[in-house]
Amino acid sequence: MTKKPTKAQVRAQAVAERERVSEATARQRRNRVVLWGGLAVVVVIAVVVAVVAGGGGNDAKATNFETAAVKVSGTPLPEFDSSQSPDPAIGDTIPTLTGKSVFDGGSITIGPNDGNGGNGKPQAIAFVAHWCPHCQAEVPRLVSLAKQGVFDGVDVTAVATGTNSTYPNYPPSAWLKDVDWPFPVMADTKGGTAAQAFGLAAYPYFVLVDANGKVAARGSGEIPPDQIKADIAALEKGEPIPLASSSQSSSAG
């Protein structure tokens, strides 16, 4: 004969059943959280991959002048070769480049008269590519030196060259604005017209020009700040410049 459960046993069984159901419900909720969390991670990864594949994520900030026509007047400089000493371009008059600002399309001129009415100041011209890791390392150093007043006696111009919307860190205008670049920036053509006219072979590339519009020194790669200070001081005094290139550069070939 089956013994009828007591009221206490019935209550205990009910409590146990409620606990079982509660645990099952909690388990289902945890599983849903894990599932949706995993989906969220997958979505984030997919977005990151899409941004990288699209060229760095700054496309929405691109101006209409990331690349632009450049007119060259005068004799182009020979291609720079860091193994040649002395540089055969030393003493050559630089060609004149007429182009547009990457920021707003305004007219920019780089030439023997520095584009500012021929004020006789020496010049420093930096050719940089947005995707070049050595340019990304060097440009903030130049910005820091500018804030220290190192370039106060020199006209500085950058040329954004090697520009490609499918490469990282595009567009150059957004990159240079983000790092507070304080000087004018000329947009090169897609084919690198300005860079070729000045003999660029690797990025970053520097051309120092004396007050008479002649090449005082050329160099490429990451240049240490102390050397830049010494080079600019010598440039302002009209003294020989011991500008040396660095192996920390990106080939233009």
Side-chain angles (χ1 to χ4, degrees):
M1 180 176 177
T2 303
K3 189 176 180 178
K4 184 177 180 180
T6 65
K7 291 183 178 180
Q9 289 174 327
V10 170
R11 285 196 296 273
Q13 290 176 348
V15 170
E17 178 63 18
R18 285 197 297 272
E19 291 177 348
R20 185 188 66 78
V21 172
S22 177
E23 177 60 25
T25 301
R27 189 181 302 111
Q28 291 176 347
R29 290 175 178 171
R30 287 195 297 270
N31 289 341
R32 284 197 295 270
V33 169
V34 172
L35 174 62
W36 285 107
L39 288 175
V41 171
V42 170
V43 170
V44 169
I45 291 175
V47 170
V48 171
V49 170
V51 167
V52 172
N58 283 330
D59 300 75
K61 301 178 183 178
T63 69
N64 293 325
F65 313 101
E66 304 299 342
T67 58
V70 174
K71 179 182 178 182
V72 180
S73 302
T75 304
L77 301 178
E79 182 173 303
F80 177 67
D81 183 348
S82 60
S83 67
Q84 286 187 300
S85 182
D87 181 354
I90 300 298
D92 287 355
T93 299
I94 63 171
T96 297
L97 307 178
T98 305
K100 298 181 181 297
S101 165
V102 296
F103 300 116
D104 57 14
S107 179
I108 293 181
T109 298
I110 299 172
N113 292 327
D114 70 29
N116 293 315
N119 57 21
K121 290 174 65 176
Q123 302 176 68
I125 307 164
F127 293 79
V128 296
H130 60 89
W131 48 264
C132 164
H134 304 292
C135 300
Q136 293 172 27
E138 187 75 353
V139 165
R141 297 185 189 118
L142 299 177
V143 172
S144 177
L145 291 173
K147 291 178 179 179
Q148 297 171 36
V150 171
F151 300 108
D152 285 356
V154 177
D155 283 332
V156 181
T157 310
V159 177
T161 187
T163 303
N164 190 320
S165 62
T166 66
Y167 287 4
N169 199 38
Y170 178 85
S173 63
W175 163 47
L176 293 168
K177 184 177 180 180
D178 287 344
V179 297
D180 296 325
W181 179 258
F183 305 112
V185 182
M186 177 182 287
D188 204 351
T189 64
K190 290 182 179 180
T193 300
Q196 292 174 16
F198 272 71
L200 179 148
Y203 309 97
Y205 176 58
F206 305 95
V207 179
L208 301 184
V209 184
D210 66 22
N212 296 315
K214 299 182 183 298
V215 176
R218 298 192 297 176
S220 63
E222 295 185 40
I223 310 299
D226 287 346
Q227 183 181 335
I228 294 174
K229 289 180 181 179
D231 293 337
I232 295 301
L235 178 66
E236 291 182 290
K237 295 176 182 178
E239 299 175 349
I241 301 172
L243 181 61
S245 293
S246 164
S247 61
Q248 294 177 298
S249 62
S250 298
S251 174

